[in-house]
Amino acid sequence: MPPRQTSVGDTILRGKKVVVLTGAGISAESGVRTFRDNDGLWENHRIEDVATPESWARNPSLVWKFYQTRRRQLLEVEPNPAHMAVAHLEGKCKSLVLVTQNVDDLHERGGSSAIIHMHGSLRSLRCQNTGLSEVRMGEHDLAEGFVLCNCCTVATMMRPDIVWFGEIPLEMSVIQKEVEDCEVFIVIGSSGHVYPAAGLVNLANSNGAHTILVNFELPINGRDFDEVHIGKAGEILPELVENW
Ligand code: BV8
């Protein structure tokens, strides 16, 4: 059965417990490359070469260059109206938990609070000895060379603070509990390819939540949603939020 295309304003979020999950699509209009669209990140790099622990062990210089390029790009991009709309949503619900697959800081800069970065963050690096993460965005932290930690007596080479394929996403128990408890689950800008994030809509459906998708095109898991809005998030989300 095709997903229901609904008119704007079918769902009233007032007084509801809401979880929002975002993916790379919400940052696309800010100029941050997505993964699987044309000219996406994975077009120039195979996932196995730059986003797995094995690739880091095999060729740290290639992986470091891939992430340093993306870390430096954070200084050149700005949040777009979709990020601001998600922040605006917070004041319209009983509670809102924002979970993002994105590793950029555009939700923070767009005014959102209580953000769970389930796939890590570009702004911080992680000590490979202690596992401690630290925001490292100074000029010397963004140069070509590797960065050393500040937490060990013998400084250790830091790794990107990113959840790679084959690694366990962050705060999964918190995320699963919030999705089990929510009344409305909204996904914005995700292709539904990556698990366990892509499976959260099924968890929301099983707990009776109303599930909403806002995406540029119908993604691989598009039929799992009660309500689907197709378009660019920066263009359609502000009006949707106004009516919610
Ligand atoms: C794990 C960091 C075990 C890297 C990322 C089944 C169950 C569990 C695991 C698996 C499973 N099947 C396979 C797996 C393994 C694997 C996986 O999912 N592989 C895929 C490729 C098949 N998963 C893992 O390895 C995960 N770990 O499973 O551990 C475990 C799990 C739970 C409990 C215990 C043990 C770890 C996955 C994390 C990998 N790291 N990111 C980095 O960023 O460099 S994932 C990476 O893909 C990004 O984080 C990205 O956000 C994410 C998902 O992609 P999307 O965000 O959806 O982006 P994409 O480009 O694909 O799509 C963009 C969408 O936006 C498109 O639909 C487009 O149409 C739309 N769009 C574009 N422009 C706009 C727009 N929409 C609106 N407006 C626009 N303007």
Side-chain angles (χ1 to χ4, degrees), residues 24 29 35-36 67 70 101 119 163 166-167 190-191 195 215 233:
E29 289 156 271
F35 291 83
R36 296 169 184 83
Y67 283 97
R70 293 169 66 196
Q101 299 173 86
H119 291 163
V163 176
E167 296 185 319
S190 186
S191 64
Y195 285 83
N215 210 60

Side-chain angles (χ1 to χ4, degrees), residues 24-243:
I26 199 169
S27 294
E29 289 156 271
S30 295
V32 178
R33 290 169 74 182
T34 64
F35 291 83
R36 296 169 184 83
D37 290 323
N38 297 334
D39 88 344
L41 280 167
W42 297 147
E43 235 174 41
N44 302 348
H45 299 280
R46 289 178 342 127
I47 289 177
E48 306 74 44
D49 294 340
V50 289
T52 64
E54 294 75 18
S55 53
W56 173 246
R58 184 173 60 244
N59 190 342
S61 300
L62 173 68
V63 176
W64 186 247
K65 186 166 182 284
F66 175 64
Y67 283 97
Q68 285 296 73
T69 303
R70 293 169 66 196
R71 281 164 35 86
R72 284 193 291 265
Q73 194 202 28
L74 290 184
L75 306 178
E76 297 154 18
V77 296
E78 296 295 331
N80 69 62
H83 294 105
M84 278 63 126
V86 170
H88 185 52
L89 208 45
E90 286 180 11
K92 305 193 85 168
C93 321
K94 179 176 165 189
S95 67
L96 187 142
V97 174
L98 173 57
V99 180
T100 186
Q101 299 173 86
N102 299 341
V103 291
D104 62 51
D105 60 344
L106 294 175
H107 278 304
E108 287 83 351
R109 292 164 56 198
S112 285
S113 51
I115 304 161
I116 299 178
H117 280 274
M118 68 183 295
H119 291 163
S121 166
L122 285 173
R123 286 181 53 80
S124 47
L125 298 174
R126 193 189 310 167
C127 173
Q128 297 188 88
N129 183 32
T130 63
L132 291 175
S133 301
E134 184 186 8
V135 172
R136 297 290 293 267
M137 287 296 285
E139 197 176 327
H140 51 287
D141 298 324
L142 295 171
E144 295 303 313
F146 290 113
V147 172
L148 299 181
C149 76
N150 292 321
C151 56
C152 299
T153 37
V154 178
T156 309
M157 181 173 119
M158 302 184 91
R159 60 163 274 182
D161 196 17
I162 297 291
V163 176
W164 283 323
F165 289 93
E167 296 185 319
I168 299 175
L170 306 176
E171 303 200 55
M172 274 312 294
S173 51
V174 171
I175 293 169
Q176 279 161 343
K177 172 93 180 60
E178 293 294 349
V179 173
E180 280 162 5
D181 291 351
C182 75
E183 295 165 279
V184 182
F185 181 68
I186 305 171
V187 175
I188 304 165
S190 186
S191 64
H193 272 97
V194 174
Y195 285 83
L200 293 174
V201 60
N202 304 118
L203 184 59
N205 282 325
S206 62
N207 94 16
H210 181 72
T211 52
I212 303 172
L213 174 74
V214 179
N215 210 60
F216 181 64
E217 60 199 354
L218 193 68
I220 195 167
N221 64 346
R223 277 160 174 60
D224 297 336
F225 292 86
D226 298 315
E227 185 177 330
V228 175
H229 299 274
I230 297 295
K232 288 188 173 182
E235 293 173 6
I236 66 172
L237 191 60
E239 185 180 348
L240 285 170
V241 168
E242 276 314 309
N243 288 291

